[in-house]
């Protein structure tokens, strides 16, 4: 991970899942902010984060829609999507739009942590 405390935004409408992700990332040394739905996620993106982890299906905007908007605006923040409704079409669309990866629920938390750490390390290296 980069030498500075990485800033991570977690967007998940399920309180328990969001709390689990936030607690895990904080234990890993990240500064974590939370978004409760797609509109909240979109509103918070301008604060500048090193990584975004977002559910796909949320009230209002989906995580995939927010990612697409971010990429169209020229944003390069790494984005990890999680979903309980992953199919081949969703995975293909997510890759096309520019996600780091998509995790299908239930997923192994250690796998997500590994991908998050790799994304943050790459982000830190590109800044250095």
């Amino acid at each position: 991970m980069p030498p500075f405390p990485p800033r991570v935004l977690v967007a998940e409408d399920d309180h328990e899942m969001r709390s689990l992700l936030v607690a895990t990332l904080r234990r890993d040394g990240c500064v974590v902010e939370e978004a409760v739905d797609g509109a909240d996620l979109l509103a918070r993106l301008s604060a500048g984060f090193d990584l975004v982890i977002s559910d796909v299906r949320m009230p209002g905007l989906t995580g995939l829609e927010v990612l697409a908007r971010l990429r169209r605006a020229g944003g390069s923040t790494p984005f990890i999507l999680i979903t309980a409704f992953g199919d081949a079409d969703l995975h293909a669309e997510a890759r096309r739009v520019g996600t780091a990866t998509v995790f299908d629920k239930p997923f192994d938390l250690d796998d997500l942590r590994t991908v998050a750490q790799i994304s943050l390390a790459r982000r830190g290296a590109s800044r250095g």
Side-chain angles (χ1 to χ4, degrees):
M1 266 215 268
F4 57 88
R7 295 188 39 161
V8 179
L9 178 58
V10 173
E12 168 64 67
D13 60 320
D14 179 87
H15 176 73
E16 289 180 13
M17 175 61 81
R18 189 175 66 248
S19 294
L20 174 66
L21 292 170
V22 167
T24 298
L25 292 162
R26 284 182 177 153
R27 277 194 306 275
D28 286 347
C30 298
V31 174
V32 184
E33 290 190 30
E34 304 173 47
V36 298
D37 60 30
D40 193 18
L41 168 60
L42 186 62
R44 291 174 180 270
L45 278 178
S46 63
F49 292 90
D50 298 302
L51 175 65
V52 175
I53 300 173
S54 176
D55 191 10
V56 171
R57 282 197 184 175
M58 295 183 290
L61 297 167
T62 70
L64 193 57
E65 289 169 331
V66 173
L67 171 59
R69 286 183 184 199
L70 174 68
R71 294 297 185 251
R72 280 194 304 270
S76 62
T77 303
F79 223 96
I80 296 172
L81 291 171
I82 56 177
T83 185
F85 305 97
D87 59 18
D89 289 341
L90 174 83
H91 283 257
E93 178 65 10
R95 279 191 305 277
R96 188 189 69 72
V97 174
T99 188
T101 194
V102 178
F103 283 97
D104 292 318
K105 296 176 186 176
F107 55 85
D108 185 312
L109 197 53
D110 286 334
D111 290 344
L112 183 130
R113 289 175 63 225
T114 298
V115 171
Q117 291 167 358
I118 290 167
S119 296
L120 288 167
R122 285 181 182 153
R123 180 94 169 153
S126 70
R127 287 182 172 178

